[in-house]
Amino acid sequence: MIWLISCLTLTVACLFYVFHLPERLFPGSPNMRAGYLRERKDAVYENLRDLNFEYKAGKLPDIDYMSLKSSLQDEAATLLAEIARAENSSKRGSRNTRL
Amino acid sequence: MAQLGSFALLLALACSAYCVVAGIIGIVSRRFFAVPLAETARRAGIVVFALVFLAAMILVVAAFENDFSIAYILHHSNRDLPAPYKFATLWSGQEGSLLFWALLLSAYGMVLRLRYKTDVRLFAYASVVVAAVQVFFLLLLTFAARPFAVTQGNTPADGNGLNPLLQYPEMVIHPPMLYLGYVGFTVPFAFALGALAMRDRGEQWIRITRRWTMVTWGFLTCGIFLGAHWAYSVLGWGGYWGWDPVENASLMPWLTGTAFLHSVMMQEKRGMLKMWNIWLVFATFWLAILGTFLTRSGIVSSVHAFAQSSIGDWFAWFLAITLLVFIFFFFKNKSQLRSEHKLESMVSRESSFLFNNLLFVLLCFTVLWGTWFPKISELVQGNKVTVGAPFYNRVAIPVALLLLILTAVGPLLAWRKTSIESLRRNFMWPAIGAIGVAVFLMITPQSWGSPFGLRPAQDISYFYSLTAVSLSVLVTLSVVSEFYRGGRVISKHTGQNIFASMVQLVHRNTRRYGGYIVHFGVVVVIIGFAGAAFNQEKENEMGYGDKMTIGPYTLVCRSYTDDDAPNYASEWAVLDVYKGGRQIATMTPERRFYKASRQTSTMPDIRSTLDEDLYLVFEGLNPDNGHPILKAHLNALVMWIWVGVWIMLIGTVLALIPNASAPERVAARARFLPVHAEPVVTGD
């Protein structure tokens, strides 16, 4: 009999926890494209920092450093332009929705 | 108690199933109820932990209360079993260890669900995957391997006891460590599959799972080496690794997991190898399940496979289903996994990671093939062909040496491409140092002991040892040069001394420099492995006063005796150990007879030094004259292995510490960084 009561209590406690929700739930974050581009931008900036540090540590000759730095900077510029485009289009999208 | 335990598991199964179903509807649906439904799914997943924890605690309490009405307790415990082993009863048998698996998975799942605010959508996907795996284990526990099954007939007064081989202190921590590793790989897999299913092109799942993967890898490393140490200390054959199928089962996910830890950096830094990484993380999870399947299905014979039953079919189906689900999502959404860059040069950090990955996967495939070959040969030819250590060593040793070369070279290469000038500049001094050490080891006299006097032409094992030690020196010097160069840059900027600068360097990029410390630990372990070339062994029957000489040691048999403890009876030899004419120790190798299980077990006595281990095994008494038979092993450099593992674990812990933030001025300027400016940070 005791185990039956224990099982019942356990079930009620579980159901209460699962289905008794707070009034406000945490919302997710939208705009995956811009988020993804920002991630890439952070990675490129980190790569630039790494490169800079390795150059200062004497691991790279000047010519390698200049060429790698310039290609990373080009990549960062492309990403920044794309981020601006993605953010503009999402702003336009939300304005259209409001209209 | 047993009824409550069974009910808790049944309720946990219902909650897990709800978590899967409600979680999928919450993700897929765009109706008003989707968000609250997803929240209930998350909460159901959290409840699973409480329920499985309750069930596990009931089993532990039953072991302490000697409740032999539960069949599992009857078969794996007895009244005189010491308390730590009673606790270890939880994972000592089939049903209990599966319950433990489910417990750890639910704990990982709970942590995951509590941290859902990082990325609600991705965490919801991952939560569903973890819950689906949980459903499988709870189905097993409810229908096929029931830990709370009741003893048939009258309840016996005492239990059958724990397997004697498991009655060793390390066995209380080895399985939990290994399981934390096995189970933990479910989380990166869940995030990877979740990201794949939601068509997420980003690296968010990698950023989230980075620490999970490192923690899991650390546990698995610890578990594998604890297992090796247990085998060395208990099994009495003088070795620590026998390429046993169950040892291999733990090694395979470790190999793919290690490959993943390296290749993931290519994805983070360069957006490359996305498909490869997702396959690697899946393979790691799949191999961890395969390992569990190997240990419990009885499909392969092993000294470590303590549990054998018919649950193999369940595992086979689960493995097949996970493979199919993964392949489905992979082919459906693989367009999202295109690399953003191509390999620009064969001499670059990327290519070193690529080769490193290929070697790890090759080694994993070799181990997989060797493990399954006896079974395959039995199915094809009708007779079981045994695959022994020489098969594995033929591949593993050269691959390990090539990996050591990459470990030395990799950190010295730049991302994208490295010029010959750059390579020469970074590599010259470590290479000169390694060659110098190799020459020194070859010209020194053999009388200096291991690892001196290595004559590579004398024996192939000496050649491998010499190469391993030289490459280890190469790796060490390249790691030291990385610390020194980095420290010097910081020292120039801050005016601190070089050591303080190195500490600051590690703080600024704990992952990178912690990783280098792990590499150094690996080197120390490899030197320990290289010592195997110098091992010796001898077996003698020894009456009172008889002598046996092995290496620099002379053993003199003083006596042999026996004793009776509540849990076991034992007999042992007492031997005086002399070195250079001076007595340095008395050793007592032992043989035990466990009363409850009626099984015997050896307890070797080991005297460890940094140079070598003197390892004595009491093999019993000669039935004709009653003299003890002693086997002595002289194992070179074994202690280096255990020291190396500690270093690896310290490096892993260091890599888990968050980086120290950059100085304020740097952060402020970085915010206004123009497109073509270089970020002004002195650390990486």
Side-chain angles (χ1 to χ4, degrees), chain A residues 36 39 47 50 53-54 75, chain B residues 203 269 340 416 682 684:
Chain A
Y36 161 70
E39 270 177 33
N47 291 351
D50 275 355
F53 189 73
E54 295 203 333
E75 201 180 329
Chain B
E203 269 70 71
K269 292 258 182 197
E340 281 145 43
R416 293 176 176 234
T682 50
D684 52 341

Side-chain angles (χ1 to χ4, degrees), chain B residues 429-476:
Chain B
W429 287 111
I432 289 174
I435 293 167
V437 168
V439 171
F440 176 73
L441 290 178
M442 282 194 285
I443 60 173
T444 45
Q446 284 180 331
S447 58
W448 285 15
S450 54
F452 301 103
L454 274 165
R455 312 279 186 262
Q458 205 176 325
D459 192 302
I460 186 75
S461 61
Y462 284 178
F463 168 76
Y464 283 140
S465 277
L466 181 69
T467 315
V469 174
S470 315
L471 290 175
S472 298
V473 172
L474 186 70
V475 176
T476 308

Side-chain angles (χ1 to χ4, degrees), chain B residues 471-483:
Chain B
L471 290 175
S472 298
V473 172
L474 186 70
V475 176
T476 308
L477 293 177
S478 72
V479 167
V480 169
S481 82
E482 277 292 287
F483 275 87

Side-chain angles (χ1 to χ4, degrees), chain A residues 70-83:
Chain A
S70 128
S71 68
L72 279 171
Q73 283 176 335
D74 287 347
E75 201 180 329
T78 315
L79 280 167
L80 285 174
E82 269 196 67
I83 290 170

Side-chain angles (χ1 to χ4, degrees), chain A residues 28-44:
Chain A
S29 55
N31 199 355
M32 280 170 64
R33 173 73 187 155
Y36 161 70
L37 290 170
R38 259 182 246 115
E39 270 177 33
R40 292 298 318 144
K41 184 199 76 179
D42 291 344
V44 174

Side-chain angles (χ1 to χ4, degrees), chain B residues 126-292:
Chain B
S127 169
V128 168
V129 179
V130 170
V133 178
Q134 187 84 62
V135 165
F136 165 70
F137 279 94
L138 288 168
L139 275 172
L140 265 181
L141 288 167
T142 311
F143 299 108
R146 293 162 52 224
F148 297 103
V150 178
T151 308
Q152 300 296 315
N154 293 335
T155 303
D158 202 356
N160 300 345
L162 189 65
N163 185 326
L165 290 175
L166 300 177
Q167 295 191 37
Y168 190 76
E170 267 158 25
M171 266 298 136
V172 182
I173 45 172
H174 159 63
M177 289 289 164
L178 206 58
Y179 278 42
L180 279 164
Y182 275 163
V183 182
F185 278 118
T186 310
V187 176
F189 164 70
F191 277 102
L193 188 59
L196 189 62
M198 67 188 268
R199 299 173 66 82
D200 180 16
R201 282 184 68 197
E203 269 70 71
Q204 176 76 331
W205 75 270
I206 281 182
R207 248 183 289 283
I208 292 168
T209 56
R210 185 196 286 168
R211 286 214 165 80
W212 284 99
T213 315
M214 277 197 281
V215 168
T216 300
W217 182 89
F219 280 129
L220 192 57
T221 306
C222 193
I224 289 172
F225 281 99
L226 275 171
H229 193 261
W230 165 80
Y232 186 63
S233 311
V234 170
L235 294 184
W237 61 281
Y240 40 79
W241 191 265
W243 296 106
D244 177 276
V246 174
E247 289 172 345
N248 294 350
S250 62
L251 183 64
M252 287 185 281
W254 186 87
L255 290 169
T256 49
T258 310
F260 175 69
L261 278 176
H262 288 90
S263 65
V264 85
M265 279 185 261
M266 278 178 77
Q267 186 165 345
E268 279 181 68
K269 292 258 182 197
R270 307 270 292 127
M272 294 166 77
L273 294 185
K274 290 184 179 184
M275 288 191 197
W276 175 259
N277 279 331
I278 219 146
W279 270 101
L280 264 186
V281 87
F282 168 72
T284 308
F285 164 75
W286 204 78
L287 288 167
I289 300 283
L290 187 78
T292 316

Side-chain angles (χ1 to χ4, degrees), chain A residues 3 7 56 64-65 76 84 89:
Chain A
W3 78 265
C7 293
K56 283 181 180 158
D64 285 10
Y65 171 65
S89 69

